[in-house]
Amino acid sequence: MLIEHLAGLTFEEIVLHEPEPQVKQALRHLGKTLKSVWRETRTERHVSAHYMQQLARRLPEVYDIHPEFRQVDSRVCGLEVPAFDTLVERTMALETGIVADCLDLIDSGIGSA
């Protein structure tokens, strides 16, 4: 949605293959789009994006395509080497206490109009 611009070209195609004036136009359009999305979706309340939950929901599809990515917990020289799934689970537990404060983002300059 955010990366398709001008006559059906993706942002990547424009940057790699189109002349500079078209790249500049695409960058302006992308900037306006991002600011619009920020203004329309911004909320004053504290929220958590649940990134690890989103990742965990997508992993089965990744493993269907790339089964070699699926690993099990292991040990090397007596040290634990957790599998990626284990790390995602652990990070999910940590992430539950983290929320984004939009007011802090605005104060930092992120998302300012």
Side-chain angles (χ1 to χ4, degrees):
M1 176 171 74
L2 291 177
I3 60 170
E4 187 150 325
H5 301 269
L6 310 174
L9 296 174
T10 65
F11 186 70
E12 177 183 355
E13 290 168 335
I14 293 169
V15 169
L16 294 176
H17 305 292
E18 299 302 317
E20 187 175 345
Q22 194 167 354
V23 172
K24 288 181 178 181
Q25 181 182 3
L27 281 169
R28 281 192 302 275
H29 181 67
L30 179 61
K32 287 179 183 178
T33 301
L34 291 172
K35 285 179 183 179
S36 173
V37 168
W38 175 263
R39 283 190 300 271
E40 292 173 22
T41 61
R42 188 177 146 254
T43 178
E44 296 291 332
R45 62 189 172 92
H46 298 281
V47 295
S48 175
H50 301 287
Y51 294 117
M52 291 298 107
Q53 288 178 0
Q54 292 179 48
L55 177 59
R57 281 195 305 267
R58 293 182 175 113
L59 278 176
E61 294 164 354
V62 171
Y63 292 147
D64 285 346
I65 296 168
H66 299 283
E68 69 276 14
F69 289 174
R70 187 181 299 273
Q71 300 172 342
V72 296
D73 293 330
S74 59
R75 297 187 85 66
V76 174
C77 296
L79 296 174
E80 175 191 18
V81 180
F84 186 71
D85 290 337
T86 302
L87 294 173
V88 169
E89 288 173 23
R90 290 179 186 175
T91 306
M92 249 192 280
L94 294 172
E95 187 181 43
T96 58
I98 300 172
V99 294
D101 185 342
C102 289
L103 298 176
D104 287 345
L105 290 174
I106 293 167
D107 291 342
S108 71
I110 297 173
S112 57

